[in-house]
Every structure is written in C-alpha cells, then in structure tokens.
Amino acid sequence: MGEQPIFSTRAHVFQIDPATKRNWIPASKHALTVSYFYDATRNVYRIISVGGTKAIINSTITPNMTFTKTSQKFGQWADSRANTVYGLGFASEQHLSQFAEKFQEVKEAARLAREKSQDKTELTNPALNITSHQVLPSPIISSNGPGEDKLFRSQSADVEITTEKERLKKMLSEGSVSEVQWEAEFFSLQDNNNKLVAALHEANANVDQWKKQLAAYQEETETLRQRVAELESQGSHDSSSENNKEELSQTLEELELLIKAKDEEIQMLKSQKCGRWEAEGEREETLQKLQELEARNAELERRLHLAEQTLAETLAEREKIQNEVTKVAEIMDVKIFELSEIRQGLAKLVESN
C-alpha cells in the first residue's frame, strides 16, 4: 500500500545472456511500461516492469548503481543482487535522457535515505558505535584465535565484492554495442511495420471509396454524353443550345476539378508508400489498384475531351450551316430582285408594242 509510482515510460526490455555474458536477450516482443516506484514504508526505490503476469524487471536502486548510455536510444545498468544486467531500448533520445535523469535523481535519493538511516541507527544505539571502534583493531594484533578468523572472513568478503565488481565491469565492457543498437532498431522497425499495416488497411478502405466515387463520375459522364447527343439533335435551337453549352461547360469544369483532386490524393498515397519495404505483397496490390484508378481517370478525361471536341465541332458545323443559309438567302434576294426587274422590262415592252 505504501509503494507508489513516481515516473513511467515505455521501452524495449533486454537482459544480458547469462551463458555468454555478451549478447542481449529480449524480454518481450513489444515495448513495455517501465516505472520507478517508491516504498515509503521501507524508504526504498525500485524499477519495475511487468509483461503479462510476469515481472520482467524488479531492481532495487542502490547508491552504487550506474546507468550508462551506450547509444542514442539505448541504456543499461547492472544489478548485483539479481546478478544480471538490464538494457532498455527507447523510441527516441529524449525518452532515454528523461529516464537517465530520473535514475540519477532516484540514486541520489537512495543515497540520502541510506545516510539518514545510518545516522538514525547511530543516534538510537551509540554503544554499538563505540563497541565497533574498540573491537576493530583487535583482530590485527592477535595472531591466532577468533580475531584472526574474523579478519580472514572480512578480507574474503572484500575480495569477493571486488571480484564481482570487476566481473560486472568486464561483462559491461564486452557487451556488443552494435548488437544492442541492431536489436533496438529491429523492435522500432516492428512498431513502424505495425503502423504501416494499419495505414495500408486505411488506404484500402480509401481505395474502395474512390472506386464508388469513380463509378458515380462515370454515370455523370454518361449523362453528360447524352446531353451532348441531345444538343447535337437540337442544333437548330440557338437559345437552348447556348444554355446547354453553359451547363455542359460548368459540369465539365466540376468534373475536371474532382478528377484533379483525386489525382492529388492518389499521388499523395503513392508518395506515402514510396520507400516502404515492409508488407510488399499488400503494397503491390495497392499500387495495382492505384494504377487501375489512374487508367480509369485517364479514360474519363479522354471521354470528357472527346465530348468537348464533339460539342465544339457541332457548334462550328451549326455556325457554318447558318452562314451558308444566310448566303443562300442573300443570293435568293438578289435573284428575286433581278427577276422583278426583268418582269418590269417585259411589261414595258408589251405596252410599247
């Protein structure tokens, strides 16, 4: 009840291989939550990480521990009590720096707590302090007996601690930094791959939506073609033709804008997929669908262009017919005028005879 979290982050957790003391063993396939805990009852700080129902990290922080940054995104520390070395691979250098700063703060707090506990022990039991100062020199003077045995055990413990420290330092120095970086990058790439798969599923959903929109555009194009055919059949009606022309031009502009927008979306989707090497099968299928969409867009543009060309030719032909009709009317007016003059001349001749 007295232990509370004071800091949490997410990282890929590793442990040193106990057999080789060189390689790292990943504790899980995905990033885990790594937290600092403070136990107010025992005045103890711990680093804890749980994977499922198993405690992956349960490390009590002592003033002798050191957190070492071995790369821009990877750090490690040795736990002599657990007889292992823990490694953490972070998503960014900022997360690594935050964890290292918190480690230093907790380490300093643990040192202050230990000193405070020692001072409190000396104040509550001063006789122990005096006795310890009086008893320490005695094993050095005696040559045989219990004092020599105590000195031998103390020296053996110091040698064992020194040997353990040297072994841990050697184990840390022999750790392969390149393998650590590769493993951290590997798990980061796994996360990026999962994100890419999600993006591909979303892209497939967008492709289906675009197919429906293209089908609607094709129907609208067919309607436009029918309007052009009606316009051709009604070439003699100038006023209705002009209205249909304006409506057709407006519809064509709207379709061109929509096609341009979809082309930009397709180009954006293509640019997002460039450089991706995961999920090759799904990407190729998506690219094939995009190519089909581009082909359909090209066919749609071709039909629109053909409709515009047909409309222009119809209007030109109608103007040509109107010009010819005007010329024929003018010629008929001239012929009628000449015929009337001939009739008048014949009438005068008849009267003179």
Side-chain angles (χ1 to χ4, degrees):
M1 295 297 293
E3 195 169 22
Q4 298 293 332
I6 58 177
F7 177 82
S8 296
T9 185
R10 291 187 66 82
H12 293 280
V13 181
F14 300 86
Q15 281 185 326
I16 202 71
D17 189 353
T20 62
K21 304 296 183 182
R22 294 176 59 87
N23 300 325
W24 289 101
I25 300 176
S28 65
K29 295 181 180 180
H30 306 286
L32 300 176
T33 300
V34 183
S35 304
Y36 287 92
F37 280 82
Y38 173 62
D39 190 346
T41 305
R42 297 186 300 163
N43 202 13
V44 172
Y45 294 88
R46 292 195 301 165
I47 299 176
I48 296 176
S49 179
V50 179
T53 59
K54 180 181 178 183
I56 305 299
I57 300 176
N58 186 6
S59 177
T60 302
I61 300 176
T62 63
N64 297 328
M65 287 184 178
T66 301
F67 185 81
T68 305
K69 297 180 181 179
T70 57
S71 67
Q72 293 182 350
K73 298 181 181 180
F74 195 89
Q76 61 188 35
W77 78 96
D79 189 342
S80 59
R81 294 183 180 181
N83 193 23
T84 188
V85 179
Y86 294 105
L88 297 178
F90 295 88
S92 65
E93 185 176 0
Q94 181 181 2
H95 292 128
L96 173 60
S97 299
Q98 291 176 354
F99 187 88
E101 291 174 359
K102 182 58 66 173
F103 192 97
Q104 189 65 26
E105 293 176 6
V106 172
K107 175 183 173 182
E108 183 66 19
R111 184 185 65 81
L112 295 175
R114 174 177 291 186
E115 292 178 354
K116 184 177 180 181
S117 177
Q118 290 177 353
D119 293 340
K120 185 177 180 181
T121 303
E122 292 176 358
L123 290 173
T124 55
N125 194 2
L128 180 62
N129 190 23
I130 296 173
T131 304
S132 64
H133 285 83
Q134 292 175 352
V135 173
L136 281 175
S138 59
I140 302 175
I141 297 173
S142 62
S143 59
N144 294 311
E148 185 176 359
D149 184 54
K150 292 180 180 179
L151 177 61
F152 176 75
R153 291 180 180 178
S154 177
Q155 290 177 351
S156 299
D158 293 339
V159 170
E160 185 178 354
I161 292 173
T162 304
T163 303
E164 182 66 18
K165 288 183 178 180
E166 290 179 356
R167 186 179 67 81
L168 289 175
K169 289 181 180 179
K170 184 177 179 181
M171 183 172 58
L172 289 174
S173 63
E174 291 179 353
S176 177
V177 177
S178 61
E179 292 181 1
V180 169
Q181 293 176 348
W182 182 86
E183 290 173 351
E185 291 296 331
F186 174 75
F187 285 102
S188 297
L189 288 175
Q190 278 189 339
D191 290 339
N192 293 333
N193 187 24
N194 293 331
K195 294 179 181 179
L196 178 60
V197 171
L200 287 175
H201 288 305
E202 184 178 359
N204 289 331
N206 292 332
V207 167
D208 293 336
Q209 184 178 1
W210 292 338
K211 284 182 178 179
K212 295 179 180 178
Q213 292 180 354
L214 283 176
Y217 297 154
Q218 289 178 351
E219 292 179 359
E220 191 170 357
T221 304
E222 184 65 22
T223 303
L224 180 62
R225 188 185 64 79
Q226 293 177 0
R227 290 183 181 178
V228 171
E230 292 176 359
L231 181 62
E232 291 177 352
S233 63
Q234 297 177 0
S236 60
H237 302 286
D238 296 336
S239 59
S240 60
S241 297
E242 292 295 330
N243 293 332
N244 290 332
K245 179 182 177 182
E246 291 178 358
E247 184 178 357
L248 178 61
S249 300
Q250 184 177 1
T251 305
L252 289 174
E253 289 176 358
E254 292 176 356
L255 287 175
E256 289 175 353
L257 291 175
L258 289 173
I259 291 172
K260 184 177 180 181
K262 292 305 171 184
D263 287 337
E264 291 177 356
E265 291 179 359
I266 291 172
Q267 292 297 329
M268 184 182 300
L269 184 60
K270 288 176 66 178
S271 63
Q272 290 177 355
K273 294 179 183 300
C274 292
R276 303 288 188 175
W277 54 271
E278 297 91 353
E280 288 295 328
E282 294 181 2
R283 187 182 68 176
E284 291 177 358
E285 183 179 356
T286 305
L287 290 176
Q288 184 177 2
K289 292 180 179 179
L290 290 174
Q291 291 176 359
E292 293 177 358
L293 288 175
E294 290 178 350
R296 292 180 180 179
N297 283 336
E299 178 64 19
L300 184 58
E301 290 177 353
R302 186 186 66 79
R303 291 181 179 180
L304 290 175
H305 181 71
L306 182 61
E308 291 177 349
Q309 186 177 1
T310 303
L311 178 61
E313 292 176 355
T314 302
L315 293 176
E317 185 68 21
R318 187 186 61 188
E319 291 178 357
K320 182 178 179 181
I321 292 172
Q322 289 179 350
N323 293 331
E324 290 179 355
V325 170
T326 303
K327 291 180 180 180
V328 170
E330 291 176 354
I331 294 172
M332 290 181 65
D333 291 337
V334 172
K335 295 297 183 180
I336 292 171
F337 179 75
E338 291 178 350
L339 183 60
S340 62
E341 288 183 347
I342 292 172
R343 286 180 179 179
Q344 290 177 2
L346 290 175
K348 289 180 182 181
L349 289 175
V350 170
E351 290 176 356
S352 62
N353 292 327

